């Protein structure tokens, strides 16, 4: 899938979910905490990776290879779960699939750029520690 098309589709699905229900799931404590945790994970991971010019394997990257994607999925997933209509669930599924494709492409690029990335891949999961 074309990278620009993939990013555009991700933006559209997030915008659709955000525009068809509450952005912050405040009526459900668990979903609210998951939403905030996702934002914190996304921000922390982005700060670490963009402030370095090398392979980052500490902080959230110590546990999963793609914490920015995980944080985004956690936040948008909690928004979707708060008001789980068919169309919002479908949009979330499309978001997940486009992010999965993006992280697969990113892993190929990182493995070429950083020889240690292949070892790192064997020690960590993609999105959920110890599971996925």
């Amino acid at each position: 899938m074309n990278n620009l098309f993939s990013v555009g589709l991700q933006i559209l699905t997030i915008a659709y979910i955000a525009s068809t229900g509450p952005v912050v799931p405040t009526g459900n404590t668990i979903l609210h905490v998951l939403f905030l945790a996702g934002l914190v994970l996304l921000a922390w991971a982005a700060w670490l990776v963009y402030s370095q010019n090398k392979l980052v394997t500490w902080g959230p990257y110590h546990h999963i290879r793609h914490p920015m994607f995980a944080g985004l999925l956690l936040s948008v997933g909690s928004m979707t779960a708060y008001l789980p209509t068919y169309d919002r669930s479908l949009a979330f599924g499309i978001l997940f699939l486009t992010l999965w494709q993006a992280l697969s492409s990113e892993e190929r690029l990182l493995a070429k750029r950083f020889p240690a990335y292949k070892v790192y891949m064997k020690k960590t999961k993609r999105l959920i520690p110890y599971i996925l």
Side-chain angles (χ1 to χ4, degrees):
M1 182 182 310
N2 178 305
N3 211 15
L4 185 58
F5 176 76
S6 177
V7 170
L9 194 53
Q10 292 164 25
I11 291 168
L12 286 175
T13 56
I14 294 167
Y16 181 79
I17 292 168
S19 68
T20 57
V23 173
V24 180
T26 56
N28 181 310
T29 304
I30 293 171
L31 291 177
H32 192 156
V33 169
L34 291 174
F35 175 80
L36 295 174
L39 291 180
V40 168
L41 178 60
L42 174 63
W44 182 21
W47 178 78
L48 277 177
V49 80
Y50 292 119
S51 66
Q52 304 295 317
N53 194 19
K54 58 184 176 182
L55 180 62
V56 177
T57 59
W58 59 91
Y61 292 93
H62 179 73
H63 303 286
I64 51 177
R65 295 191 304 265
H66 301 279
M68 284 190 281
F69 290 147
L72 181 63
L73 288 168
L74 190 57
S75 289
V76 177
S78 66
M79 291 165 53
T80 305
Y82 187 68
L83 184 63
T85 62
Y86 174 77
D87 54 330
R88 287 166 58 91
S89 299
L90 179 62
F92 182 75
I94 292 169
L95 174 64
F96 181 86
L97 291 174
T98 59
L99 288 175
W100 189 264
Q101 184 275 331
L103 70 84
S104 296
S105 295
E106 186 175 284
E107 287 189 335
R108 285 190 295 277
L109 292 172
L110 289 168
K112 287 179 185 176
R113 183 170 179 201
F114 301 107
Y117 194 77
K118 288 182 182 181
V119 174
Y120 171 66
M121 288 174 69
K122 291 178 183 177
K123 295 191 299 187
T124 56
K125 297 294 185 181
R126 284 180 162 177
L127 293 170
I128 304 170
Y130 312 108
I131 298 172
L132 176 68

PDB file of all heavy atoms in Angstrom, residues 37-52 54 56-62 64-72 120:
ATOM      1  N   ALA A  37      -3.929   6.661  28.962  1.00  0.00           N
ATOM      2  CA  ALA A  37      -2.708   5.844  28.934  1.00  0.00           C
ATOM      3  C   ALA A  37      -2.170   5.747  27.508  1.00  0.00           C
ATOM      4  O   ALA A  37      -0.955   5.812  27.286  1.00  0.00           O
ATOM      5  CB  ALA A  37      -2.982   4.460  29.498  1.00  0.00           C
ATOM      6  N   GLY A  38      -3.065   5.608  26.550  1.00  0.00           N
ATOM      7  CA  GLY A  38      -2.651   5.563  25.153  1.00  0.00           C
ATOM      8  C   GLY A  38      -1.980   6.851  24.720  1.00  0.00           C
ATOM      9  O   GLY A  38      -0.954   6.835  24.032  1.00  0.00           O
ATOM     10  N   LEU A  39      -2.548   7.985  25.124  1.00  0.00           N
ATOM     11  CA  LEU A  39      -1.946   9.275  24.772  1.00  0.00           C
ATOM     12  C   LEU A  39      -0.578   9.454  25.419  1.00  0.00           C
ATOM     13  O   LEU A  39       0.362   9.949  24.784  1.00  0.00           O
ATOM     14  CB  LEU A  39      -2.868  10.422  25.183  1.00  0.00           C
ATOM     15  CG  LEU A  39      -4.175  10.567  24.412  1.00  0.00           C
ATOM     16  CD1 LEU A  39      -4.968  11.756  24.937  1.00  0.00           C
ATOM     17  CD2 LEU A  39      -3.929  10.690  22.920  1.00  0.00           C
ATOM     18  N   VAL A  40      -0.455   9.046  26.685  1.00  0.00           N
ATOM     19  CA  VAL A  40       0.831   9.151  27.380  1.00  0.00           C
ATOM     20  C   VAL A  40       1.871   8.262  26.704  1.00  0.00           C
ATOM     21  O   VAL A  40       3.010   8.677  26.461  1.00  0.00           O
ATOM     22  CB  VAL A  40       0.680   8.800  28.877  1.00  0.00           C
ATOM     23  CG1 VAL A  40       2.033   8.617  29.550  1.00  0.00           C
ATOM     24  CG2 VAL A  40      -0.136   9.873  29.591  1.00  0.00           C
ATOM     25  N   LEU A  41       1.487   7.025  26.378  1.00  0.00           N
ATOM     26  CA  LEU A  41       2.400   6.104  25.711  1.00  0.00           C
ATOM     27  C   LEU A  41       2.834   6.666  24.360  1.00  0.00           C
ATOM     28  O   LEU A  41       4.027   6.653  24.026  1.00  0.00           O
ATOM     29  CB  LEU A  41       1.732   4.741  25.532  1.00  0.00           C
ATOM     30  CG  LEU A  41       2.533   3.664  24.818  1.00  0.00           C
ATOM     31  CD1 LEU A  41       3.834   3.364  25.553  1.00  0.00           C
ATOM     32  CD2 LEU A  41       1.687   2.398  24.669  1.00  0.00           C
ATOM     33  N   LEU A  42       1.900   7.173  23.602  1.00  0.00           N
ATOM     34  CA  LEU A  42       2.201   7.762  22.292  1.00  0.00           C
ATOM     35  C   LEU A  42       3.167   8.938  22.429  1.00  0.00           C
ATOM     36  O   LEU A  42       4.176   9.012  21.716  1.00  0.00           O
ATOM     37  CB  LEU A  42       0.898   8.213  21.631  1.00  0.00           C
ATOM     38  CG  LEU A  42       0.989   8.988  20.328  1.00  0.00           C
ATOM     39  CD1 LEU A  42       1.620   8.161  19.238  1.00  0.00           C
ATOM     40  CD2 LEU A  42      -0.402   9.431  19.907  1.00  0.00           C
ATOM     41  N   ALA A  43       2.892   9.839  23.343  1.00  0.00           N
ATOM     42  CA  ALA A  43       3.747  11.020  23.529  1.00  0.00           C
ATOM     43  C   ALA A  43       5.136  10.638  24.030  1.00  0.00           C
ATOM     44  O   ALA A  43       6.151  11.167  23.542  1.00  0.00           O
ATOM     45  CB  ALA A  43       3.080  11.998  24.497  1.00  0.00           C
ATOM     46  N   TRP A  44       5.200   9.732  25.004  1.00  0.00           N
ATOM     47  CA  TRP A  44       6.488   9.297  25.562  1.00  0.00           C
ATOM     48  C   TRP A  44       7.351   8.648  24.472  1.00  0.00           C
ATOM     49  O   TRP A  44       8.526   8.970  24.311  1.00  0.00           O
ATOM     50  CB  TRP A  44       6.234   8.342  26.715  1.00  0.00           C
ATOM     51  CG  TRP A  44       7.444   7.831  27.441  1.00  0.00           C
ATOM     52  CD1 TRP A  44       8.686   8.381  27.483  1.00  0.00           C
ATOM     53  CD2 TRP A  44       7.504   6.655  28.255  1.00  0.00           C
ATOM     54  NE1 TRP A  44       9.521   7.612  28.277  1.00  0.00           N
ATOM     55  CE2 TRP A  44       8.818   6.551  28.762  1.00  0.00           C
ATOM     56  CE3 TRP A  44       6.570   5.688  28.602  1.00  0.00           C
ATOM     57  CZ2 TRP A  44       9.215   5.512  29.584  1.00  0.00           C
ATOM     58  CZ3 TRP A  44       6.973   4.653  29.436  1.00  0.00           C
ATOM     59  CH2 TRP A  44       8.275   4.576  29.920  1.00  0.00           C
ATOM     60  N   ALA A  45       6.744   7.750  23.724  1.00  0.00           N
ATOM     61  CA  ALA A  45       7.483   7.047  22.674  1.00  0.00           C
ATOM     62  C   ALA A  45       7.944   8.009  21.587  1.00  0.00           C
ATOM     63  O   ALA A  45       9.083   7.933  21.119  1.00  0.00           O
ATOM     64  CB  ALA A  45       6.607   5.947  22.086  1.00  0.00           C
ATOM     65  N   ALA A  46       7.081   8.929  21.192  1.00  0.00           N
ATOM     66  CA  ALA A  46       7.446   9.897  20.154  1.00  0.00           C
ATOM     67  C   ALA A  46       8.594  10.776  20.638  1.00  0.00           C
ATOM     68  O   ALA A  46       9.554  11.028  19.896  1.00  0.00           O
ATOM     69  CB  ALA A  46       6.236  10.747  19.782  1.00  0.00           C
ATOM     70  N   TRP A  47       8.520  11.235  21.876  1.00  0.00           N
ATOM     71  CA  TRP A  47       9.580  12.073  22.414  1.00  0.00           C
ATOM     72  C   TRP A  47      10.916  11.330  22.412  1.00  0.00           C
ATOM     73  O   TRP A  47      11.951  11.879  22.026  1.00  0.00           O
ATOM     74  CB  TRP A  47       9.224  12.539  23.827  1.00  0.00           C
ATOM     75  CG  TRP A  47      10.304  13.372  24.435  1.00  0.00           C
ATOM     76  CD1 TRP A  47      10.571  14.688  24.184  1.00  0.00           C
ATOM     77  CD2 TRP A  47      11.296  12.934  25.356  1.00  0.00           C
ATOM     78  NE1 TRP A  47      11.664  15.096  24.907  1.00  0.00           N
ATOM     79  CE2 TRP A  47      12.131  14.034  25.641  1.00  0.00           C
ATOM     80  CE3 TRP A  47      11.554  11.715  25.981  1.00  0.00           C
ATOM     81  CZ2 TRP A  47      13.204  13.944  26.516  1.00  0.00           C
ATOM     82  CZ3 TRP A  47      12.625  11.631  26.846  1.00  0.00           C
ATOM     83  CH2 TRP A  47      13.442  12.740  27.100  1.00  0.00           C
ATOM     84  N   LEU A  48      10.905  10.076  22.844  1.00  0.00           N
ATOM     85  CA  LEU A  48      12.149   9.298  22.888  1.00  0.00           C
ATOM     86  C   LEU A  48      12.741   9.091  21.503  1.00  0.00           C
ATOM     87  O   LEU A  48      13.933   9.312  21.293  1.00  0.00           O
ATOM     88  CB  LEU A  48      11.901   7.925  23.528  1.00  0.00           C
ATOM     89  CG  LEU A  48      11.906   7.841  25.031  1.00  0.00           C
ATOM     90  CD1 LEU A  48      11.565   6.427  25.482  1.00  0.00           C
ATOM     91  CD2 LEU A  48      13.245   8.249  25.606  1.00  0.00           C
ATOM     92  N   VAL A  49      11.923   8.651  20.583  1.00  0.00           N
ATOM     93  CA  VAL A  49      12.458   8.295  19.269  1.00  0.00           C
ATOM     94  C   VAL A  49      12.870   9.517  18.459  1.00  0.00           C
ATOM     95  O   VAL A  49      13.862   9.484  17.734  1.00  0.00           O
ATOM     96  CB  VAL A  49      11.478   7.384  18.496  1.00  0.00           C
ATOM     97  CG1 VAL A  49      10.359   8.163  17.845  1.00  0.00           C
ATOM     98  CG2 VAL A  49      12.217   6.561  17.466  1.00  0.00           C
ATOM     99  N   TYR A  50      12.149  10.620  18.595  1.00  0.00           N
ATOM    100  CA  TYR A  50      12.492  11.801  17.816  1.00  0.00           C
ATOM    101  C   TYR A  50      13.600  12.639  18.452  1.00  0.00           C
ATOM    102  O   TYR A  50      14.134  13.533  17.808  1.00  0.00           O
ATOM    103  CB  TYR A  50      11.245  12.642  17.524  1.00  0.00           C
ATOM    104  CG  TYR A  50      10.311  11.917  16.585  1.00  0.00           C
ATOM    105  CD1 TYR A  50       9.016  11.589  16.974  1.00  0.00           C
ATOM    106  CD2 TYR A  50      10.733  11.525  15.323  1.00  0.00           C
ATOM    107  CE1 TYR A  50       8.164  10.908  16.118  1.00  0.00           C
ATOM    108  CE2 TYR A  50       9.898  10.840  14.463  1.00  0.00           C
ATOM    109  CZ  TYR A  50       8.617  10.544  14.866  1.00  0.00           C
ATOM    110  OH  TYR A  50       7.790   9.845  14.016  1.00  0.00           O
ATOM    111  N   SER A  51      13.951  12.336  19.699  1.00  0.00           N
ATOM    112  CA  SER A  51      15.055  13.063  20.328  1.00  0.00           C
ATOM    113  C   SER A  51      16.377  12.312  20.178  1.00  0.00           C
ATOM    114  O   SER A  51      17.409  12.780  20.634  1.00  0.00           O
ATOM    115  CB  SER A  51      14.755  13.302  21.813  1.00  0.00           C
ATOM    116  OG  SER A  51      14.726  12.088  22.519  1.00  0.00           O
ATOM    117  N   GLN A  52      16.350  11.164  19.535  1.00  0.00           N
ATOM    118  CA  GLN A  52      17.543  10.338  19.355  1.00  0.00           C
ATOM    119  C   GLN A  52      17.868  10.220  17.875  1.00  0.00           C
ATOM    120  O   GLN A  52      17.006  10.380  17.032  1.00  0.00           O
ATOM    121  CB  GLN A  52      17.310   8.931  19.924  1.00  0.00           C
ATOM    122  CG  GLN A  52      16.892   8.900  21.362  1.00  0.00           C
ATOM    123  CD  GLN A  52      17.970   9.411  22.293  1.00  0.00           C
ATOM    124  OE1 GLN A  52      19.127   9.087  22.137  1.00  0.00           O
ATOM    125  NE2 GLN A  52      17.575  10.214  23.263  1.00  0.00           N
ATOM    126  N   LYS A  54      19.429   7.304  16.922  1.00  0.00           N
ATOM    127  CA  LYS A  54      19.887   5.923  16.959  1.00  0.00           C
ATOM    128  C   LYS A  54      18.703   5.035  17.312  1.00  0.00           C
ATOM    129  O   LYS A  54      17.610   5.509  17.608  1.00  0.00           O
ATOM    130  CB  LYS A  54      21.014   5.748  17.977  1.00  0.00           C
ATOM    131  CG  LYS A  54      20.635   6.140  19.396  1.00  0.00           C
ATOM    132  CD  LYS A  54      21.833   6.032  20.319  1.00  0.00           C
ATOM    133  CE  LYS A  54      21.469   6.525  21.707  1.00  0.00           C
ATOM    134  NZ  LYS A  54      22.595   6.471  22.610  1.00  0.00           N
ATOM    135  N   VAL A  56      16.270   3.134  19.397  1.00  0.00           N
ATOM    136  CA  VAL A  56      15.812   3.279  20.777  1.00  0.00           C
ATOM    137  C   VAL A  56      15.248   1.935  21.245  1.00  0.00           C
ATOM    138  O   VAL A  56      14.341   1.384  20.628  1.00  0.00           O
ATOM    139  CB  VAL A  56      14.733   4.377  20.894  1.00  0.00           C
ATOM    140  CG1 VAL A  56      14.219   4.473  22.317  1.00  0.00           C
ATOM    141  CG2 VAL A  56      15.287   5.711  20.430  1.00  0.00           C
ATOM    142  N   THR A  57      15.807   1.422  22.343  1.00  0.00           N
ATOM    143  CA  THR A  57      15.336   0.141  22.890  1.00  0.00           C
ATOM    144  C   THR A  57      15.071   0.238  24.394  1.00  0.00           C
ATOM    145  O   THR A  57      15.047  -0.766  25.085  1.00  0.00           O
ATOM    146  CB  THR A  57      16.364  -0.987  22.616  1.00  0.00           C
ATOM    147  OG1 THR A  57      17.608  -0.631  23.212  1.00  0.00           O
ATOM    148  CG2 THR A  57      16.546  -1.227  21.132  1.00  0.00           C
ATOM    149  N   TRP A  58      14.898   1.439  24.903  1.00  0.00           N
ATOM    150  CA  TRP A  58      14.618   1.640  26.325  1.00  0.00           C
ATOM    151  C   TRP A  58      13.269   2.335  26.463  1.00  0.00           C
ATOM    152  O   TRP A  58      12.635   2.683  25.484  1.00  0.00           O
ATOM    153  CB  TRP A  58      15.733   2.424  27.015  1.00  0.00           C
ATOM    154  CG  TRP A  58      15.985   3.781  26.426  1.00  0.00           C
ATOM    155  CD1 TRP A  58      15.404   4.950  26.801  1.00  0.00           C
ATOM    156  CD2 TRP A  58      16.860   4.109  25.348  1.00  0.00           C
ATOM    157  NE1 TRP A  58      15.864   5.992  26.032  1.00  0.00           N
ATOM    158  CE2 TRP A  58      16.756   5.498  25.121  1.00  0.00           C
ATOM    159  CE3 TRP A  58      17.718   3.373  24.539  1.00  0.00           C
ATOM    160  CZ2 TRP A  58      17.475   6.151  24.131  1.00  0.00           C
ATOM    161  CZ3 TRP A  58      18.427   4.037  23.553  1.00  0.00           C
ATOM    162  CH2 TRP A  58      18.309   5.397  23.372  1.00  0.00           C
ATOM    163  N   GLY A  59      12.865   2.571  27.707  1.00  0.00           N
ATOM    164  CA  GLY A  59      11.547   3.151  27.941  1.00  0.00           C
ATOM    165  C   GLY A  59      10.479   2.194  27.429  1.00  0.00           C
ATOM    166  O   GLY A  59      10.612   0.978  27.590  1.00  0.00           O
ATOM    167  N   PRO A  60       9.443   2.689  26.781  1.00  0.00           N
ATOM    168  CA  PRO A  60       8.402   1.788  26.285  1.00  0.00           C
ATOM    169  C   PRO A  60       8.921   0.851  25.196  1.00  0.00           C
ATOM    170  O   PRO A  60       8.375  -0.233  24.988  1.00  0.00           O
ATOM    171  CB  PRO A  60       7.329   2.740  25.739  1.00  0.00           C
ATOM    172  CG  PRO A  60       8.055   4.000  25.433  1.00  0.00           C
ATOM    173  CD  PRO A  60       9.161   4.088  26.460  1.00  0.00           C
ATOM    174  N   TYR A  61      10.000   1.252  24.515  1.00  0.00           N
ATOM    175  CA  TYR A  61      10.584   0.408  23.474  1.00  0.00           C
ATOM    176  C   TYR A  61      11.272  -0.827  24.054  1.00  0.00           C
ATOM    177  O   TYR A  61      11.578  -1.752  23.313  1.00  0.00           O
ATOM    178  CB  TYR A  61      11.581   1.212  22.629  1.00  0.00           C
ATOM    179  CG  TYR A  61      10.906   2.267  21.797  1.00  0.00           C
ATOM    180  CD1 TYR A  61      10.761   3.565  22.269  1.00  0.00           C
ATOM    181  CD2 TYR A  61      10.397   1.967  20.547  1.00  0.00           C
ATOM    182  CE1 TYR A  61      10.129   4.535  21.519  1.00  0.00           C
ATOM    183  CE2 TYR A  61       9.757   2.932  19.779  1.00  0.00           C
ATOM    184  CZ  TYR A  61       9.628   4.205  20.280  1.00  0.00           C
ATOM    185  OH  TYR A  61       8.993   5.164  19.529  1.00  0.00           O
ATOM    186  N   HIS A  62      11.492  -0.843  25.338  1.00  0.00           N
ATOM    187  CA  HIS A  62      12.062  -2.022  25.986  1.00  0.00           C
ATOM    188  C   HIS A  62      11.048  -3.167  25.994  1.00  0.00           C
ATOM    189  O   HIS A  62      11.423  -4.341  25.991  1.00  0.00           O
ATOM    190  CB  HIS A  62      12.487  -1.686  27.420  1.00  0.00           C
ATOM    191  CG  HIS A  62      13.063  -2.835  28.163  1.00  0.00           C
ATOM    192  ND1 HIS A  62      14.322  -3.342  27.895  1.00  0.00           N
ATOM    193  CD2 HIS A  62      12.550  -3.599  29.153  1.00  0.00           C
ATOM    194  CE1 HIS A  62      14.558  -4.364  28.695  1.00  0.00           C
ATOM    195  NE2 HIS A  62      13.504  -4.538  29.473  1.00  0.00           N
ATOM    196  N   ILE A  64       7.879  -3.133  23.912  1.00  0.00           N
ATOM    197  CA  ILE A  64       7.252  -3.340  22.605  1.00  0.00           C
ATOM    198  C   ILE A  64       7.984  -2.509  21.554  1.00  0.00           C
ATOM    199  O   ILE A  64       8.549  -1.465  21.849  1.00  0.00           O
ATOM    200  CB  ILE A  64       5.744  -2.975  22.595  1.00  0.00           C
ATOM    201  CG1 ILE A  64       5.494  -1.583  23.159  1.00  0.00           C
ATOM    202  CG2 ILE A  64       4.937  -4.027  23.320  1.00  0.00           C
ATOM    203  CD1 ILE A  64       4.048  -1.138  23.115  1.00  0.00           C
ATOM    204  N   ARG A  65       7.939  -2.999  20.314  1.00  0.00           N
ATOM    205  CA  ARG A  65       8.682  -2.333  19.248  1.00  0.00           C
ATOM    206  C   ARG A  65       7.972  -1.102  18.687  1.00  0.00           C
ATOM    207  O   ARG A  65       8.617  -0.243  18.102  1.00  0.00           O
ATOM    208  CB  ARG A  65       8.951  -3.322  18.109  1.00  0.00           C
ATOM    209  CG  ARG A  65       9.847  -4.457  18.517  1.00  0.00           C
ATOM    210  CD  ARG A  65      10.333  -5.276  17.348  1.00  0.00           C
ATOM    211  NE  ARG A  65       9.339  -5.845  16.483  1.00  0.00           N
ATOM    212  CZ  ARG A  65       8.846  -7.077  16.587  1.00  0.00           C
ATOM    213  NH1 ARG A  65       9.222  -7.853  17.579  1.00  0.00           N
ATOM    214  NH2 ARG A  65       7.971  -7.525  15.709  1.00  0.00           N
ATOM    215  N   HIS A  66       6.666  -1.020  18.839  1.00  0.00           N
ATOM    216  CA  HIS A  66       5.916   0.079  18.230  1.00  0.00           C
ATOM    217  C   HIS A  66       4.972   0.736  19.235  1.00  0.00           C
ATOM    218  O   HIS A  66       3.753   0.706  19.076  1.00  0.00           O
ATOM    219  CB  HIS A  66       5.138  -0.431  17.020  1.00  0.00           C
ATOM    220  CG  HIS A  66       6.012  -1.031  15.973  1.00  0.00           C
ATOM    221  ND1 HIS A  66       6.703  -0.270  15.064  1.00  0.00           N
ATOM    222  CD2 HIS A  66       6.346  -2.320  15.730  1.00  0.00           C
ATOM    223  CE1 HIS A  66       7.420  -1.069  14.286  1.00  0.00           C
ATOM    224  NE2 HIS A  66       7.220  -2.310  14.674  1.00  0.00           N
ATOM    225  N   PRO A  67       5.520   1.359  20.278  1.00  0.00           N
ATOM    226  CA  PRO A  67       4.647   1.961  21.285  1.00  0.00           C
ATOM    227  C   PRO A  67       3.822   3.144  20.771  1.00  0.00           C
ATOM    228  O   PRO A  67       2.745   3.412  21.297  1.00  0.00           O
ATOM    229  CB  PRO A  67       5.606   2.379  22.401  1.00  0.00           C
ATOM    230  CG  PRO A  67       6.934   2.477  21.753  1.00  0.00           C
ATOM    231  CD  PRO A  67       6.936   1.485  20.636  1.00  0.00           C
ATOM    232  N   MET A  68       4.308   3.839  19.747  1.00  0.00           N
ATOM    233  CA  MET A  68       3.488   4.936  19.210  1.00  0.00           C
ATOM    234  C   MET A  68       2.217   4.376  18.574  1.00  0.00           C
ATOM    235  O   MET A  68       1.118   4.889  18.802  1.00  0.00           O
ATOM    236  CB  MET A  68       4.272   5.775  18.197  1.00  0.00           C
ATOM    237  CG  MET A  68       5.270   6.707  18.851  1.00  0.00           C
ATOM    238  SD  MET A  68       5.998   7.890  17.709  1.00  0.00           S
ATOM    239  CE  MET A  68       7.227   6.881  16.906  1.00  0.00           C
ATOM    240  N   PHE A  69       2.358   3.323  17.791  1.00  0.00           N
ATOM    241  CA  PHE A  69       1.180   2.687  17.196  1.00  0.00           C
ATOM    242  C   PHE A  69       0.290   2.096  18.282  1.00  0.00           C
ATOM    243  O   PHE A  69      -0.935   2.195  18.219  1.00  0.00           O
ATOM    244  CB  PHE A  69       1.585   1.580  16.220  1.00  0.00           C
ATOM    245  CG  PHE A  69       2.221   2.075  14.953  1.00  0.00           C
ATOM    246  CD1 PHE A  69       3.207   1.330  14.334  1.00  0.00           C
ATOM    247  CD2 PHE A  69       1.843   3.268  14.356  1.00  0.00           C
ATOM    248  CE1 PHE A  69       3.801   1.753  13.149  1.00  0.00           C
ATOM    249  CE2 PHE A  69       2.435   3.711  13.176  1.00  0.00           C
ATOM    250  CZ  PHE A  69       3.419   2.952  12.568  1.00  0.00           C
ATOM    251  N   ALA A  70       0.900   1.481  19.289  1.00  0.00           N
ATOM    252  CA  ALA A  70       0.126   0.883  20.380  1.00  0.00           C
ATOM    253  C   ALA A  70      -0.663   1.949  21.132  1.00  0.00           C
ATOM    254  O   ALA A  70      -1.843   1.760  21.452  1.00  0.00           O
ATOM    255  CB  ALA A  70       1.045   0.125  21.336  1.00  0.00           C
ATOM    256  N   GLY A  71      -0.022   3.087  21.410  1.00  0.00           N
ATOM    257  CA  GLY A  71      -0.704   4.174  22.100  1.00  0.00           C
ATOM    258  C   GLY A  71      -1.857   4.730  21.284  1.00  0.00           C
ATOM    259  O   GLY A  71      -2.942   5.012  21.809  1.00  0.00           O
ATOM    260  N   LEU A  72      -1.638   4.883  19.993  1.00  0.00           N
ATOM    261  CA  LEU A  72      -2.698   5.369  19.107  1.00  0.00           C
ATOM    262  C   LEU A  72      -3.865   4.388  19.087  1.00  0.00           C
ATOM    263  O   LEU A  72      -5.034   4.785  19.221  1.00  0.00           O
ATOM    264  CB  LEU A  72      -2.143   5.575  17.700  1.00  0.00           C
ATOM    265  CG  LEU A  72      -3.112   6.107  16.662  1.00  0.00           C
ATOM    266  CD1 LEU A  72      -3.595   7.500  17.033  1.00  0.00           C
ATOM    267  CD2 LEU A  72      -2.463   6.124  15.292  1.00  0.00           C
ATOM    268  N   TYR A 120      16.785  -7.267  18.344  1.00  0.00           N
ATOM    269  CA  TYR A 120      15.745  -6.583  19.123  1.00  0.00           C
ATOM    270  C   TYR A 120      14.360  -7.166  18.823  1.00  0.00           C
ATOM    271  O   TYR A 120      13.542  -7.347  19.725  1.00  0.00           O
ATOM    272  CB  TYR A 120      15.820  -5.084  18.802  1.00  0.00           C
ATOM    273  CG  TYR A 120      14.704  -4.236  19.348  1.00  0.00           C
ATOM    274  CD1 TYR A 120      14.545  -4.058  20.717  1.00  0.00           C
ATOM    275  CD2 TYR A 120      13.823  -3.591  18.495  1.00  0.00           C
ATOM    276  CE1 TYR A 120      13.528  -3.260  21.221  1.00  0.00           C
ATOM    277  CE2 TYR A 120      12.817  -2.785  18.984  1.00  0.00           C
ATOM    278  CZ  TYR A 120      12.672  -2.626  20.347  1.00  0.00           C
ATOM    279  OH  TYR A 120      11.666  -1.832  20.840  1.00  0.00           O
TER     280      TYR A 120
END
